[in-house]
Amino acid sequence: MERKWWHGLTAYQIYPKSFLDTNGDGIGDLRGIISKLDYLQELGVGLVWLSPVYASPLADQGYDISDYYRIDPRFGTMDDMDELLREAKRRDIAIVMDLVVNHCSDEHKWFREACRNPEGKYGRFFYIRKHQRGEPMPCNWRSYFGGSVWSELPGHDDYIYLHLFHRKQPDLNWENPEVRREIYSMINWWLDKGLAGFRIDAIINIKKALPFRDYPADREDGLSSVDNMLFEARGVLDFLNEMADETFRKYDAFTVGEVFNEKPEELPLFIGDKGCFSTMFDFGETVLNQGSEGWYAQKHVTPEQYKAACFESQRKTRDTGFLCNIIENHDEPRGVSRYLPEGTCAGAYGVAAKKLLGGVNFMLRGLPFLYQGQEIGMENTHCASIEEVDDISARDQYRVALDAGLSPDEAMESVNRFSRDNARTPFQWDASANAGFSAGTPWLRVNPNYREINLDAQRGDPDSVWNFYRALIALRKNPAFREAVVYGQTTPYLPELANVMAYFRRSDAQTLLVVGNCQDTAQKIPLPGTVKQVLLNNLRECVMEHGTLSVRPWQFVILEMDA
Ligand code: TEU
Ligand code: CA
């Protein structure tokens, strides 16, 4: 495997709207990010992904872009962006932005033109079809946010257009070379500015299985998941390689794809040495227990399932490349609320368990990607009724649950577990009003637990979640352990030992043993050799006698073994 400039870094996702508001309008902004670059440096971050800050009506919080060449005034100005790039560079932090090109906003000039003249040049930028009211739609696909993927073209009762996501996110027609050229020029414009690369949104969706056709209905609404279409679509890699040749490859840019539904044999084509992306996210754990029914039917993930999914991802990438290891992002609940057994965060072992989850994930081979607030152990929030929920996906899932016969309370329970709002509540900087996020009214309610969980309280506490993450990042950066921590292969150790997640990371010269005891009871674990030193421990002591490691509930250790 070829070595790349980004391999040894620790990456961090910023959701700008919720990071830090500097002008009191309740919305996080670029100036807020600039003012926290020293913080990110102190934490040890080497690469930052910014969720979208482009001009946008924010129907899907910026994933609906109305101008790719402008910064939304709510986030700041292009001068702020340039300053951010400059200041980040001074601190050795690479900045990557979101690339959202499966769709744009219905307020983008291309779509406005298409509405003016559906048969003209810009009509061909989208999937627009002639259609009489009452006729069946060209296909019965369900949009990711609920309802048909087809909506009436504004201003025309005899045309419809395709949107796999919200109706304010019309899909761009990648089959049209003019669309692709526009996208590539835009990408190069940003790379010329000094951007290090992109996180590439929903990219697998750009290739549609054509001609449009129905698939078997899989819910009460009579529609069919887009997954069925994606499974059949062929040729997405032709688009992606063309894009990489025209853009990223010329700049040695860093790219991370948001790819679900890849076919196993395609993995090297995505992230191998000649792959179209540098890397992509490991969603192996994210998709656990996801069925076609919806959130309400989704069961809690057990530690055993979690372990098996991690090891499977490690196995399938060992000769191919790096995936990005995550426990959460802006589309998911908080990792600690999701993967730790119910009640753990609030219980006696909460802090230890949060560190354990962070540790077992961070130490896997790949690029560790933290999401803002993860480093202080931020948790899910709670909404009493659907009116308090902002997330369009959660609102749709509430309906899905009601349609399936659940009571409003039960439906809210599933919304509270999975709502994207969980990750989007403002960053908890300190114990002052609004967690120090804003002097105004935050756009989304601050999690009321901010008085206990905030950065300020954790900074000076050597036993805090934050100081633990800092130690993990420092270990990854330490040249003495780089070969094992960054490049060492992962080998599961005693995988059959229930609720214990243990693995080796081995380089030619070193063997590290990572052990996490994912349960409320102590456990004795045979040691596979002599321990040279304890590199990291989420508790104060580490008991090792007669070839046995005795771990306490939720204890996590990294041991250096005699090679
Ligand atoms: O998410 C894509 C998304 O919704 C996935 O969950 C989807 O299931 C996948 O594409 C299937 O192939 C991204 C963003 O992260 C999210 O915030 C946006 O709402 C969405 O795209 C639309 O841009
Ligand atoms: Ca602001």
Side-chain angles (χ1 to χ4, degrees):
M1 206 183 84
E2 214 178 291
R3 299 207 163 181
K4 296 287 190 186
W5 61 268
W6 51 269
H7 277 160
L9 304 178
T10 296
Y12 186 96
Q13 178 188 355
I14 291 184
Y15 194 70
K17 202 173 180 190
S18 304
F19 193 60
L20 181 63
D21 170 26
T22 56
N23 64 351
D25 65 355
I27 295 179
D29 40 54
L30 290 175
R31 299 234 60 89
I33 300 172
I34 295 168
S35 74
K36 291 298 177 185
L37 283 169
D38 287 335
Y39 165 67
L40 296 171
Q41 192 177 29
E42 180 188 1
L43 184 59
V45 168
L47 187 147
V48 167
W49 152 31
L50 295 188
S51 273
V53 289
Y54 308 91
S56 163
L58 305 189
D60 184 22
Q61 298 306 357
Y63 284 89
D64 48 321
I65 297 171
S66 54
D67 189 342
Y68 293 96
Y69 295 92
R70 274 182 46 225
I71 300 295
D72 194 281
R74 284 165 286 196
F75 294 122
T77 63
M78 195 56 83
D79 283 345
D80 295 333
M81 188 68 212
D82 290 335
E83 186 178 329
L84 174 61
L85 292 175
R86 259 191 334 266
E87 288 298 315
K89 194 170 192 150
R90 281 209 311 133
R91 294 167 177 83
D92 270 330
I93 296 176
I95 302 280
V96 312
M97 285 172 86
D98 231 297
L99 182 66
V100 189
V101 288
N102 172 69
H103 44 266
C104 59
S105 161
D106 65 343
E107 298 181 28
H108 192 285
K109 62 175 191 268
W110 298 334
F111 193 72
R112 292 219 159 120
E113 275 302 308
C115 292
R116 235 179 29 83
N117 178 12
E119 300 293 345
K121 164 175 163 150
Y122 289 102
R124 289 187 296 278
F125 270 45
F126 299 92
Y127 292 94
I128 293 179
R129 295 288 181 270
K130 271 212 126 21
H131 181 264
Q132 294 309 318
R133 272 192 193 156
E135 268 177 17
M137 294 298 174
C139 63
N140 70 340
W141 310 347
R142 177 187 308 109
S143 116
Y144 286 111
F145 299 142
S148 170
V149 293
W150 296 98
S151 289
E152 200 166 272
L153 192 68
H156 301 268
D157 57 10
D158 53 348
Y159 282 100
I160 51 176
Y161 71 96
L162 179 84
H163 55 90
L164 297 193
F165 292 88
H166 194 262
R167 80 193 137 66
K168 284 184 71 65
Q169 294 167 300
D171 279 54
L172 286 162
N173 177 9
W174 273 71
E175 306 294 335
N176 178 351
E178 278 184 79
V179 170
R180 306 207 295 274
R181 262 198 306 274
E182 287 279 1
I183 292 172
Y184 306 156
S185 324
M186 178 271 290
I187 294 174
N188 289 334
W189 186 85
W190 278 104
L191 293 175
D192 284 336
K193 249 185 185 301
L195 197 71
F198 293 95
R199 174 270 187 180
I200 306 177
D201 184 66
I203 195 65
I204 221 71
N205 296 283
I206 63 174
K207 187 76 198 184
K208 277 70 177 171
L210 297 173
F212 294 117
R213 72 169 186 91
D214 285 357
Y215 294 89
D218 49 26
R219 271 187 208 162
E220 285 77 1
D221 59 8
L223 301 174
S224 168
S225 159
V226 174
D227 288 345
N228 297 318
M229 175 284 283
L230 292 176
F231 185 72
E232 225 176 67
R234 288 289 172 277
V236 69
L237 280 154
D238 297 337
F239 288 157
L240 297 180
N241 276 308
E242 181 186 88
M243 170 161 70
D245 281 340
E246 297 289 327
T247 63
F248 316 135
R249 283 180 182 138
K250 297 185 195 169
Y251 296 80
D252 195 18
F254 169 84
T255 51
V256 45
E258 189 203 19
V259 178
F260 291 87
N261 323 68
E262 83 277 9
K263 303 171 177 83
E265 69 278 10
E266 288 174 347
L267 200 61
L269 308 175
F270 279 108
I271 61 161
D273 281 344
K274 302 213 157 30
C276 56
F277 299 142
S278 311
T279 176
M280 49 196 217
F281 291 105
D282 176 18
F283 290 123
E285 299 91 65
T286 314
V287 301
L288 282 170
N289 296 348
Q290 256 175 31
S292 61
E293 294 103 319
W295 291 351
Y296 71 88
Q298 212 166 311
K299 298 221 157 53
H300 270 280
V301 171
T302 67
E304 280 297 283
Q305 286 181 309
Y306 187 80
K307 170 171 80 175
C310 290
F311 287 165
E312 172 55 16
S313 296
Q314 295 284 292
R315 190 198 57 76
K316 69 180 191 201
T317 50
R318 61 177 292 137
D319 301 317
T320 313
F322 271 26
L323 288 179
C324 293
N325 297 314
I326 54 164
I327 66 167
E328 62 201 34
N329 63 33
H330 68 294
D331 288 335
E332 303 296 333
R334 288 290 178 175
V336 293
S337 302
R338 175 186 216 162
Y339 298 117
L340 299 175
E342 266 184 288
T344 305
C345 284
Y349 308 115
V351 170
K354 285 178 177 182
K355 294 176 186 170
L356 176 146
L357 178 65
V360 293
N361 187 271
F362 188 98
M363 287 302 293
L364 293 169
R365 185 171 165 281
L367 181 69
F369 230 108
L370 311 190
Y371 175 72
Q372 66 181 43
Q374 176 184 336
E375 74 273 32
I376 53 169
M378 279 178 65
E379 299 172 10
N380 276 0
T381 191
H382 181 88
C383 289
S385 81
I386 195 68
E387 281 71 47
E388 291 174 23
V389 177
D390 170 81
D391 171 23
I392 50 178
S393 185
R395 288 170 163 266
D396 169 52
Q397 289 288 338
Y398 181 73
R399 277 245 69 80
V400 170
L402 293 184
D403 287 351
L406 274 76
S407 71
D409 280 354
E410 290 164 337
M412 269 321 284
E413 202 185 304
S414 70
V415 164
N416 278 321
R417 276 178 61 209
F418 291 108
S419 169
R420 304 192 295 180
D421 285 357
N422 284 315
R424 298 176 181 184
T425 61
F427 189 98
Q428 293 162 206
W429 295 103
D430 56 42
S432 72
N434 300 324
F437 162 73
S438 171
T441 308
W443 73 277
L444 189 65
R445 222 166 26 111
V446 174
N447 192 320
N449 69 14
Y450 74 88
R451 284 184 198 85
E452 294 80 54
I453 300 175
N454 64 67
L455 175 66
D456 193 42
Q458 294 193 20
R459 244 205 179 111
D461 171 6
D463 294 328
S464 68
V465 175
W466 187 74
N467 271 303
F468 179 80
Y469 269 104
R470 250 188 106 199
L472 278 171
I473 298 171
L475 176 63
R476 185 171 176 84
K477 281 179 131 169
N478 184 340
F481 297 101
R482 182 182 166 89
E483 277 305 309
V485 174
V486 178
Y487 292 105
Q489 285 298 350
T490 302
T491 313
Y493 177 59
L494 302 176
E496 65 287 351
L497 201 59
N499 300 325
V500 171
M501 180 163 169
Y503 54 88
F504 295 107
R505 296 293 313 281
R506 280 200 184 97
S507 66
D508 289 345
Q510 275 169 343
T511 298
L512 307 186
L513 178 61
V514 178
V515 181
N517 180 29
C518 319
Q519 55 196 335
D520 288 353
T521 51
Q523 180 80 38
K524 286 195 184 322
I525 299 167
L527 282 165
T530 318
V531 175
K532 208 162 159 185
Q533 59 171 321
V534 180
L535 291 178
L536 198 62
N537 183 358
N538 68 344
L539 303 177
R540 287 279 166 90
E541 42 169 39
C542 176
V543 181
M544 297 180 285
E545 294 170 317
H546 316 299
T548 300
L549 169 70
S550 300
V551 276
R552 307 183 58 87
W554 297 98
Q555 186 160 19
F556 169 88
V557 291
I558 304 175
L559 308 175
E560 185 189 358
M561 309 299 293
D562 264 335

